[in-house]
Amino acid sequence: MSTDGYAWFRGALGEIAVGRLLSRLDSKWVVLHAVPVGRGADIDHVVVGPSGVFTVNTKNHSGKRVWVAGHTFLVSGSRTDHIRNSEFEGRRAAKLLGKALGWPVPIRPVIAVYDPQRLHIEKPPAGVDVVDARRLVRWLKKRPAVLGPEAVEHIVSVIGELATWRYQPDESVDVDRRAQFDAIQAEIGTARRVRMAWAFGMVAVMTITIVLVWPALLQLLTIAVAKLLDGSA
């Protein structure tokens, strides 16, 4: 599997997991997933509720150390563009949604870090919230209410329209990537089974070696020690 394919697969797993977490929100909230924006780009999740409108950018950094300070976002010591990209995503979404509604809509970009070994926020970024995905739902619910029911209903009425996001389908691009996802998942499963087969094979070879060869080696060692003792005597 190519590096890009594996990165896409990990990202998809993270998005699916965060989508399941967001499904725990009650009926006061509406969540859209994989909202297409422009060509070849999408917003992982758009969340609308009493606390406002949020673009959620999922980052699957499973088992890795994440360190954040202002605009610096490090993953296992390597710098990323997560903050800048999420800020741009939020500004673009606010512009498009505001135009569709006819009034400005503040949108808060959020980076949901999925399954990190450790998430340490030294200094929160000014324009983006960085949240452990496991705490995302609780974090959303605890924010102060800024939208009334009518405003939420009005926003919900347009966020599901493709025209809101200026999406122009490109017939040359396969938007539905489920087949690609399934193929990569099958490839990873096959590779895992091959590794397990090799591991079991090595264990079997070692076991056979110990059972069949070790007694003969022990007998030779015993004879050699006996000869040495006879020679010294």
Side-chain angles (χ1 to χ4, degrees):
M1 181 190 304
S2 67
T3 302
D4 289 342
Y6 184 67
W8 179 87
F9 179 77
R10 282 176 56 85
L13 288 179
E15 290 179 36
I16 292 170
V18 172
R20 288 172 178 164
L21 292 172
L22 289 171
S23 68
R24 299 175 184 176
L25 289 166
D26 58 37
S27 59
K28 296 178 181 179
W29 297 81
V30 173
V31 182
L32 295 182
H33 308 288
V35 177
V37 182
R39 288 180 178 270
D42 63 47
I43 302 172
D44 294 343
H45 316 278
V46 176
V47 182
V48 183
S51 301
V53 183
F54 306 85
T55 55
V56 179
N57 190 353
T58 296
K59 293 300 177 186
N60 185 352
H61 295 311
S62 180
K64 297 183 179 181
R65 293 177 176 270
V66 176
W67 186 88
V68 181
H71 269 69
T72 302
F73 193 113
L74 303 181
V75 178
S76 297
S78 298
R79 189 179 296 269
T80 72
D81 293 327
H82 294 347
I83 302 295
R84 184 188 66 184
N85 293 342
S86 294
E87 287 178 337
F88 173 77
E89 184 174 82
R91 288 194 301 268
R92 178 165 64 172
K95 181 179 179 180
L96 295 175
L97 188 56
K99 184 175 181 179
L101 289 168
W103 43 276
V105 181
I107 292 184
R108 186 69 180 178
V110 179
I111 298 175
V113 184
Y114 176 69
D115 193 31
Q117 182 185 64
R118 183 188 181 196
L119 172 59
H120 178 74
I121 302 177
E122 184 74 20
K123 179 182 178 182
V128 178
D129 290 294
V130 180
V131 183
D132 188 313
R134 293 169 296 184
R135 301 182 176 89
L136 179 59
V137 170
R138 183 173 61 181
W139 180 86
L140 288 168
K141 289 181 176 180
K142 289 180 66 176
R143 293 183 65 83
V146 296
L147 295 176
E150 292 184 0
V152 171
E153 184 177 354
H154 192 186
I155 294 171
V156 169
S157 70
V158 300
I159 63 170
E161 299 295 329
L162 292 178
T164 298
W165 308 105
R166 295 182 182 173
Y167 175 59
Q168 299 297 327
D170 184 350
E171 295 181 357
S172 66
V173 177
D174 182 11
V175 178
D176 187 353
R177 294 186 173 180
R178 285 175 296 181
Q180 181 184 358
F181 182 89
D182 292 341
I184 295 174
Q185 191 172 31
E187 185 177 343
I188 287 178
T190 300
R192 184 180 294 115
R193 288 191 294 271
V194 169
R195 288 195 299 268
M196 291 180 65
W198 273 103
F200 283 124
M202 290 299 296
V203 171
V205 170
M206 292 177 64
T207 302
I208 293 172
T209 300
I210 292 173
V211 171
L212 298 180
V213 178
W214 177 248
L217 291 176
L218 184 60
Q219 184 178 4
L220 290 174
L221 181 61
T222 302
I223 294 172
V225 171
K227 286 183 178 181
L228 287 174
L229 292 176
D230 291 341
S232 61

